Amino acid sequence: MSHATAVADKRPSTLRGASLPNWSPWAIAAGSIVVAVGIGLAAGLDSKVQWGLLAGIFFLLGTYGIAAKVEGRRQAKDRIATSLVWVAFILAVVPLVSLLWTTIARGVKVLDIYFLTHSMGVVADSEPGGGIYHAIIGTLEQVGLATLIGAPIGILTAIYLVEYGRGGLAKAVTFFVDVMTGIPSIVAGLFILSLMLMFDMQPFGFAGSLALAILMMPVVVRSTEEMLKLVPNELREASLALGVPKWRTILKVVVPTSIGGIITGIMLAIARIAGETAPVLLLVFGNPFINNNPFEGAQASLPLYIYQQYSQSAGSTAAYDRAWAASLTLIAFVMILNLVARAIARWKAPKTGR
């Protein structure tokens, strides 16, 4: 090797420009927070939200300015795009964390075994004591019946649209599913209420289940439809080539392949309807006593219980605390459903590897 070659090997590459260290985003973020807090204190801004918005703006400006000075404008634009993603992520997470923290802090005051195993019974809304056992029973029965109605109809509709749907009927079904996806919950409640008035029926739990099933079906249809579309056509063709009827191919090949995603969609639909208040308020009416029969008499539910307790909380700390505790219970219920959906999706996911 010649002396010129050795010198060329030691010479730094001109294709690689200067770059900021890996810790620079953290340093810029810390500096932005300090500047935002200083300006907030000097300007008399009491809201921490304003401080956060100022810190986000200074972080974006600081990132672009420093990156443009050191790395050039092209790399600075890349960094500013990454910074925008992080700022948007933080703006989305902070309200959720704040909501969860507030609910936990206020809901744990009366949340205990007694609260979960007793109803309001003879306890007045303004008095301490009572619980949500009757509301938990009502929610489980109403959501369970809605799932038994809405999930099979939604799955069968999705199978028709993906496997058989052709022509005007399929387009009409798709159109109405899209319309039902955005329908307000109060409209579904009014539809069932009109039927109840026609037949002179009193409020009962199953009426609420019918309204919840209407809200659930389009979610199940859309999620199941997308999962069925992900099944490779080669699997269908291989089954049909062996002489297997189409209905059996769907039952034994298509549905089992996508069952994880289908169950996940059903769980998410259940979580969506579990917090609905308007249909339950119209059709179930609420009941402070335990009613295990959803086909006769008024029933309670967790969303309705929260609404009623909060509406009666003026001047009553007990009702206010019960409303927050019921809210925490409902959040825990929805969270458990989402965790179950994720676990099932991972369990039923196609195995990879050799």
Side-chain angles (χ1 to χ4, degrees):
M1 182 183 296
S2 63
H3 177 71
T5 304
V7 172
D9 291 339
K10 295 179 180 179
R11 187 180 304 162
S13 173
T14 58
L15 297 177
R16 185 184 181 119
S19 61
L20 293 174
N22 294 331
W23 49 264
S24 60
W26 300 101
I28 297 173
S32 301
I33 293 174
V34 171
V35 173
V37 171
I39 293 177
L41 293 175
L45 301 177
D46 297 330
S47 176
K48 302 300 187 296
V49 176
Q50 294 174 328
W51 294 9
L53 293 176
L54 287 175
I57 293 174
F58 291 144
F59 176 69
L60 295 175
L61 295 177
T63 299
Y64 182 79
I66 295 174
K69 184 71 174 178
V70 177
E71 300 176 334
R73 292 188 175 182
R74 183 175 182 180
Q75 188 65 21
K77 293 179 181 179
D78 178 74
R79 286 188 176 273
I80 200 68
T82 305
S83 300
L84 282 172
V85 173
W86 278 104
V87 170
F89 169 74
I90 294 173
L91 290 177
V93 168
V94 167
L96 297 177
V97 174
S98 176
L99 173 64
L100 186 61
W101 175 259
T102 302
T103 307
I104 293 175
R106 298 185 178 182
V108 295
K109 294 181 180 179
V110 297
L111 185 60
D112 52 20
I113 298 299
Y114 179 88
F115 182 74
L116 296 174
T117 56
H118 287 75
S119 66
M120 292 303 294
V122 295
V123 179
D125 290 335
S126 59
E127 298 176 354
I132 58 172
Y133 180 75
H134 61 302
I136 294 176
I137 293 296
T139 295
L140 292 177
E141 291 182 350
Q142 293 160 26
V143 173
L145 291 172
T147 303
L148 292 177
I149 298 171
I153 295 177
I155 293 173
L156 293 175
T157 303
I159 291 176
Y160 165 76
L161 292 175
V162 175
E163 303 294 338
Y164 298 98
R166 301 292 184 274
L169 180 59
K171 293 180 180 179
V173 172
T174 302
F175 172 76
F176 283 110
V177 168
D178 293 337
V179 172
M180 290 177 63
T181 303
I183 188 174
S185 58
I186 190 67
V187 175
L190 289 174
F191 173 71
I192 301 299
L193 180 61
S194 64
L195 297 179
M196 292 175 59
L197 294 176
M198 289 174 57
F199 294 98
D200 194 21
M201 303 173 68
Q202 299 298 319
F204 62 111
F206 184 66
S209 299
L210 294 176
L212 296 179
I214 293 175
L215 298 174
M216 183 182 186
M217 280 187 286
V219 180
V220 176
V221 171
R222 275 285 165 251
S223 60
T224 304
E225 188 178 1
E226 295 302 322
M227 290 301 104
L228 294 177
K229 289 180 180 178
L230 293 177
V231 178
N233 285 327
E234 288 78 4
L235 294 178
R236 298 180 176 88
E237 294 171 355
S239 178
L240 295 174
L242 294 174
V244 179
K246 187 167 185 175
W247 69 269
R248 196 171 183 83
T249 299
I250 296 171
L251 187 63
K252 296 294 186 179
V253 177
V254 178
V255 173
T257 304
S258 57
I259 190 65
I262 293 174
I263 295 177
T264 302
I266 294 174
M267 290 292 182
L268 295 178
I270 294 174
R272 182 245 189 272
I273 65 173
E276 291 293 341
T277 307
V280 179
L281 180 62
L282 289 175
L283 306 172
V284 181
F285 204 67
N287 189 350
F289 296 93
I290 299 174
N291 180 12
N292 294 321
N293 186 2
F295 299 99
E296 182 180 359
Q299 260 191 332
S301 72
L302 282 174
L304 182 57
Y305 178 89
I306 295 168
Y307 169 76
Q308 291 174 337
Q309 291 297 311
Y310 189 80
S311 62
Q312 299 293 331
S313 64
S316 173
T317 306
Y320 188 75
D321 292 339
R322 284 194 296 263
W324 279 107
S327 300
L328 181 57
T329 305
L330 184 59
I331 290 177
F333 176 70
V334 174
M335 187 177 297
I336 291 173
L337 286 178
N338 280 273
L339 292 176
V340 170
R342 288 181 177 273
I344 293 176
R346 179 170 295 186
W347 174 44
K348 292 294 184 177
K351 302 297 185 292
T352 58
R354 297 180 181 274

